[in-house]
Amino acid sequence: MGSSEEARVRLPQLRLDELLEELQARLDAARGTRDRVHSLLEAVLSVGRELDLEQALHSIVEAAAALVDAEYAALGVIGPDGRRLSAFHTVGVSDEQIARIGPYPEGHGILGELIRHPEPLRLAKICEHPASYGFPAHHPPMNTFLGVPIRVRDHVFGNLYLTEKRGGAQFDEEDVSVTLTLAVAAGVAIDNARLYEESRLRERWLRANAEITHSLMSGGDRTEVLGLIAERAGEITQSALAAVALPMEDTGALAVEIAVGMDAEAHRGLVLPMDSSLMGLAFSRASSVSSADVGKDDRISLEPPRFDGLGPAVAVPIGTGSAGPRGVVLLARKSGRPAFSATETEPLKAFAGQAALAMELAERRADAEEVAVLKDRDRIARDLHDLAIQRLFATGMTLQSAGRFIEHEEAAERVVRAVDDLDETIKIIRSTIFGLRTREGAGEAGLRARAVRVVGEAAPVLGFAPSVRMEGLLDTDVPKEIADHMVAVLSEALTNIARHAHADRADVLLATDGRQVRLSVTDNGTGIPDDGRRSGLRNMAERAEQLGGRLELGSPQGGGTTLTWCVPARKP
């Protein structure tokens, strides 16, 4: 009896302990759920506060890793083609590990599975999935996996990748639910950050347009304004190189007037053909032309080398009206940087269009000022002809008539000399009138155009197109006589290369600093033999000596010949 009574007493006690343990477990679960909800809310608020897109993406990755207790997390941004990742943000992997692993993934394997099928994916072992094909060398080991898509306005922006839940546990349905909730908040945060970024970008473009328009309308120098266009476009798009090229009259080529940034010297002054350069294609098509990697683009000539270290690039025409583009802006980023997106190219087009309009208005103003000057010169010429010359002529006639009545021989001679002086003065005034009514240099091609034409004519004979670079005010600082000699020397030098050098490359440089004029022609041929004919070289040397200059011959490091023809900008 005693033992059965004791059993009845212990049984309720055991049930009470079980109930208490179950209650404690439920309280712990409720507390854990409460803490997790708080953590989720904090994560949503933290992500939503970010307005900088890059920082917002990093905050999303950190919040996702903390919410599901994952050791590693990443956010892959899907590129414009919708098949590959264009950016990859990670948490849990150090910079040293990333450097050892190598380039970021492009979206193959398990990562590509979420791109192809944007639905939550949970795996106990990554290696067991059919799409998995292993990790690169030095990659940390990963087994458990959770991936969810991030949508921005019904468009899949990217994916969250979470691996290695701490403690060796598996990701569960609650982890999926929490991550999906964060992904929704992340989509809103990304959309806000992008809208904010776009508004800031538009504001910067508008400020740049206003600055350029003000500079042009206030009479700023054209070179300074073009430099301003290149600088502002490069700054706003975060480009390593910015260049502006303008068409050369009657040549069918572009000349790079301005280049700023990385390796700008290799671009400045280059003469570019329309069919084998990014800027030439943009000009001839009157539309933007982009390249994923400008250093490996088959549409662009390799010579001269000028794109080392550069990757994505875009060329945008300056204006596309009925008269055609007024020039081209080229922007290039360093290798490995993202390509120029449509959201970047569109405001760049508008900026270039506004710059073209400002340039046209400035030219119209300059034309109006020139017309005013010409009208004033015409008025002066008319007054000189109608008033001064007629009065001088009448005075001369009067003196001639009066001379007949002068009997003193010396006095008569003086009157005759005075009449002759008046005739000479009339001739001088007439010459001045003719000069006032004649525009200097009308109808004559400048040195730049003539040099490009000579190089173009030599290309079929050479079998290749030489590269041409021009520096300085060649059309204004070089007198016609010196320009004639320079063009003749250039033609002779290219002819010598075609006949004797057996070269497959030639570089032409025309430069002036206002004091000296320099022509340099370099080829990679066989050089000048000691017993070779030198009549052509002698002619070039005589031309230089006649102008007070010199001709020098040299050999570059890789072989060939460098011919340098240098004379003063003004004939001695």
Side-chain angles (χ1 to χ4, degrees), residues 90-203:
T90 62
V91 165
V93 184
S94 66
D95 293 338
E96 291 77 11
Q97 286 177 301
I98 292 171
R100 286 199 301 271
I101 294 169
Y104 281 121
E106 294 184 355
H108 304 294
I110 294 295
L111 304 187
E113 187 70 17
L114 258 77
I115 296 174
R116 293 185 292 273
H117 307 288
E119 299 293 337
L121 178 64
R122 181 162 54 98
L123 301 172
K125 280 190 175 293
I126 295 175
C127 61
E128 294 177 354
H129 194 280
S132 175
Y133 60 82
F135 296 101
H138 308 294
H139 197 286
M142 295 180 182
N143 291 301
T144 56
F145 175 86
L146 172 61
V148 298
I150 297 176
R151 287 181 168 82
V152 177
R153 298 187 183 186
D154 298 325
H155 173 73
V156 179
F157 173 82
N159 296 305
L160 269 174
Y161 307 109
L162 303 155
T163 61
E164 290 301 287
K165 190 174 177 71
R166 297 183 190 278
Q170 300 289 323
F171 292 109
D172 55 25
E173 288 294 336
E174 190 175 339
D175 292 327
V176 176
S177 178
V178 167
T179 310
L180 282 171
T181 304
L182 179 64
V184 173
V188 175
I190 290 168
D191 194 29
N192 288 339
R194 288 168 79 177
L195 289 172
Y196 178 73
E197 192 174 78
E198 288 173 10
S199 67
R200 290 283 304 275
L201 193 61
R202 281 195 297 271
E203 182 184 348

Side-chain angles (χ1 to χ4, degrees), residues 398-413:
T398 302
L399 287 174
Q400 276 185 325
S401 299
R404 299 194 189 101
F405 302 104
I406 300 175
E407 296 180 358
H408 194 282
E409 186 177 346
E410 186 176 346
E413 288 178 1

Side-chain angles (χ1 to χ4, degrees), residues 469-539:
R469 186 189 305 278
M470 299 186 184
E471 299 175 0
L473 303 175
L474 293 166
D475 287 342
T476 56
D477 283 358
V478 181
K480 184 178 182 303
E481 182 183 357
I482 294 177
D484 291 341
H485 283 289
M486 200 171 191
V487 170
V489 170
L490 174 59
S491 179
E492 180 72 23
L494 294 175
T495 302
N496 287 346
I497 293 173
R499 288 177 179 171
H500 311 297
H502 305 291
D504 58 13
R505 177 182 171 184
D507 301 314
V508 176
L509 169 66
L510 293 88
T512 182
D513 57 2
R515 296 185 299 275
Q516 282 193 326
V517 182
R518 181 163 58 94
L519 167 65
S520 174
V521 182
T522 303
D523 67 74
N524 64 347
T526 56
I528 301 174
D530 294 334
D531 57 349
R533 293 179 59 189
R534 294 179 176 259
S535 57
L537 294 174
R538 189 160 49 251
N539 290 338

